[in-house]
Coordinates of all heavy atoms in Angstrom, one line a residue:
D3 N 16.0 12.2 -28.3 CA 16.3 12.4 -26.8 C 17.0 11.1 -26.4 O 16.6 10.0 -26.8 CB 15.0 12.5 -26.0 CG 14.5 14.0 -26.1 OD1 15.3 14.9 -26.4 OD2 13.3 14.1 -25.8
V23 N 7.7 2.2 10.3 CA 6.8 1.1 10.5 C 6.9 0.5 11.9 O 5.9 0.2 12.6 CB 6.8 0.0 9.4 CG1 6.0 -1.2 9.7 CG2 6.4 0.6 8.0
L58 N 2.7 4.8 -7.3 CA 3.1 4.4 -5.9 C 4.5 3.8 -5.9 O 5.3 4.1 -5.0 CB 2.0 3.5 -5.3 CG 2.3 3.1 -3.9 CD1 2.4 4.3 -3.0 CD2 1.2 2.1 -3.4
L62 N 7.9 4.7 -3.5 CA 8.4 3.9 -2.4 C 9.9 3.6 -2.5 O 10.5 3.7 -3.5 CB 7.7 2.5 -2.5 CG 6.2 2.5 -2.3 CD1 5.6 1.1 -2.7 CD2 5.8 2.8 -0.9
L70 N 5.9 -4.7 -4.0 CA 4.6 -4.3 -4.6 C 4.4 -4.8 -6.0 O 3.4 -5.4 -6.3 CB 4.4 -2.8 -4.5 CG 3.2 -2.2 -5.1 CD1 2.0 -2.4 -4.2 CD2 3.4 -0.8 -5.5
P97 N -7.1 -12.1 12.1 CA -7.5 -10.9 11.4 C -7.1 -9.7 12.2 O -6.8 -8.6 11.5 CB -9.0 -11.1 11.3 CG -9.2 -12.6 11.3 CD -8.2 -13.1 12.2
P145 N -29.1 7.4 -4.4 CA -30.5 7.7 -4.6 C -31.4 6.5 -4.1 O -31.0 5.4 -4.3 CB -30.7 7.9 -6.1 CG -29.5 7.4 -6.7 CD -28.4 7.3 -5.7

Side-chain angles (χ1 to χ4, degrees):
D3 283 336
V23 169
L58 179 59
L62 294 171
L70 175 80

